[in-house]
Amino acid sequence: MAPLDGILILDLTHVLAGPFCTQSLQDLGAKVIKVERPGTGDDTRAFPPFLAGESAYFATLNAGKQSIALDLKAAEDRAIFERLVARADVLVENYRPGVMARLGFGWEVLHARHPRLVYAAVSGFGQTGPDAEKPAYDMVVQARGGVMSITGESGGPPVRVGASIGDIVAGMYLAQGVLAALYQREKTGEGAFIDVAMLDAQLAIQEHALAIASATGVAPGPTGARHPTITPFATFRAADGFVVIAAGNDAMFGRLCAVLGLEIAADPRFATNAARCENHALLKRLIETVTLGHSVAHWLAVLDAAGLPTARVQDMIEVLADPQLRARNMVLPVTPQPGGPAFTAPGNPIKMSTLPEPSSLPPAPRLDGDRAAILAWLDDPSRGP
């Protein structure tokens, strides 16, 4: 039995933060019913890239969920939604603060009717504060939360992190909150309201930048691929590409010097991490005078043999073929809908002894494609949603 087997989640979210959260919970065994806008559904149904007219973006974030399209302003659909809420363990939404309350389905109303319901809300700036009602996307919170100020090359313009961490990290925190609330409910019998802001989550993940700014009073800037406080901990040029070398302490630095043939481990300019950070540009030049002489494959073999953390800088095609990720069941086919295209999605990174590992993922739902099954279940719960 999966850990969340028997947990029913109503997913009123769209785009990324909310769907990422509910997909994670579904990977742990929850049943997710996606409540979508009639006609258009989740915005990501229209996001490229497309295969046979269907969005790969949507498919990878909603595999295995069910879909029902409801207009929460229409009496008939509101009645269906109320029946769904009565059966649900968790409701997840990412409307702007106040929208659900204006529809008559805010936390206070639903908590009074359904005390065991866990209500989880994710938004750009949270449910409180002067900017609570402002709209936000990933790039907005990456900018305002400081992430863009430390990303990119020194002296260059601000750079957005390539993955949508503004959304994804918020979705991860939201999933944590849901799990904590479900555990608390087992002890108290009562649900909770969870309020996660994308902006809050951006601050929470910046361990070094926050420490540097608070301790020194100076805002850290971008350092490219180099770690801001550990050296050498960066990318280095080889004859045919880049290799990551992460020598995280003095002992590792000594081993690195030995395999590179550099007699500088005791040099006062490099003998300590503080000295190496101060002289990082010179150290990089010295290391690259050696690494440029051989291929990435050569240095991976040499550094691995010395027990030094290293990696090739891979593109996504290489990542999808990575034997370690394949061995961990992290690249999975999404079973297509009848007549639909086949997609690829990430597997579940949470490996548990009680959680079976699938060989494929179920298909993403057609918009409103599960209406008949969901309505039949509401009439006869024994049939299952």
Side-chain angles (χ1 to χ4, degrees):
M1 178 184 295
L4 296 184
D5 187 59
I7 296 296
L8 177 64
I9 297 174
L10 289 188
D11 181 359
L12 279 74
T13 67
H14 54 281
V15 187
L16 183 50
F20 186 90
C21 166
T22 57
Q23 189 69 43
S24 298
L25 297 172
Q26 180 175 268
D27 286 343
L28 295 173
K31 173 66 71 176
V32 178
I33 295 178
K34 194 170 177 69
V35 178
E36 301 189 69
R37 295 187 301 268
T40 57
D42 188 325
D43 292 350
T44 59
R45 289 184 181 275
F47 283 14
F50 298 103
L51 284 176
E54 295 187 21
S55 168
Y57 190 109
F58 176 83
T60 58
L61 288 165
N62 296 282
K65 299 176 185 178
Q66 294 184 313
S67 171
I68 185 170
L70 298 175
D71 178 357
L72 297 185
K73 295 181 180 179
E76 184 177 349
D77 283 358
R78 287 173 63 88
I80 294 172
F81 181 70
E82 288 178 347
R83 295 176 70 195
L84 286 170
V85 173
R87 298 280 179 82
D89 295 284
V90 183
L91 183 151
V92 185
E93 57 100 341
N94 65 344
Y95 293 110
R96 288 196 210 179
V99 170
M100 287 292 284
R102 289 192 290 273
L103 289 169
F105 297 120
W107 158 248
E108 290 81 6
V109 170
L110 293 185
H111 182 59
R113 294 177 188 166
H114 311 289
R116 288 179 56 82
L117 180 71
V118 172
Y119 188 118
V122 59
S123 60
F125 302 105
Q127 304 293 310
T128 59
D131 294 332
E133 295 191 12
K134 284 188 174 182
Y137 278 106
D138 167 78
M139 191 167 182
V140 172
V141 297
Q142 282 200 35
R144 185 162 176 180
V147 171
M148 288 177 64
S149 75
I150 59 170
T151 305
E153 296 293 336
S154 179
V159 175
R160 172 188 175 273
V161 175
S164 298
I165 63 169
D167 282 289
I168 291 170
V169 173
M172 294 173 70
Y173 278 120
L174 192 68
Q176 290 181 43
V178 168
L179 294 174
L182 288 171
Y183 179 72
Q184 184 181 53
R185 190 181 72 173
E186 290 301 302
K187 296 185 288 185
T188 66
E190 190 166 338
F193 178 73
I194 303 161
D195 168 17
V196 170
M198 293 165 64
L199 180 63
D200 295 354
Q202 292 300 277
L203 176 61
I205 63 171
Q206 293 186 79
E207 80 295 2
H208 273 93
L210 188 151
I212 292 168
S214 61
T216 68
V218 178
T223 56
R226 182 177 69 85
H227 194 285
T229 59
I230 303 174
T231 302
F233 210 97
T235 56
F236 296 87
R237 289 178 296 165
D240 60 349
F242 289 89
V243 61
V244 167
I245 301 174
N249 55 46
D250 291 343
M252 285 185 177
F253 180 63
R255 293 206 304 276
L256 175 64
C257 291
V259 300
L260 294 179
L262 292 172
E263 297 182 0
I264 59 174
D267 188 314
R269 296 171 297 175
F270 311 118
T272 66
N273 182 63
R276 293 193 292 274
C277 287
E278 186 173 342
N279 296 288
H280 67 85
L282 173 59
L283 181 58
K284 184 178 180 70
R285 289 197 297 273
L286 292 173
I287 291 174
E288 289 190 335
T289 59
V290 179
T291 57
L292 278 167
H294 295 282
S295 67
V296 170
H298 169 85
W299 289 118
L300 291 177
V302 169
L303 296 168
D304 277 339
L308 292 166
T310 186
R312 179 191 304 274
V313 179
Q314 298 190 139
D315 62 32
M316 281 307 298
I317 299 300
E318 294 170 317
V319 169
L320 291 175
D322 190 303
Q324 176 65 19
L325 290 170
R326 290 279 179 174
R328 296 278 293 172
N329 209 40
M330 284 304 301
V331 181
L332 294 177
V334 178
T335 303
Q337 291 277 7
F343 297 104
T344 299
N348 183 7
I350 302 173
K351 310 299 182 184
M352 297 178 64
S353 61
T354 55
L355 187 64
E357 280 284 323
S359 59
S360 64
L361 298 174
R366 306 281 195 197
L367 177 60
D368 204 32
D370 302 289
R371 172 178 286 268
I374 291 170
L375 294 180
W377 167 71
L378 286 174
D379 292 333
D380 180 8
S382 66
R383 297 178 60 163

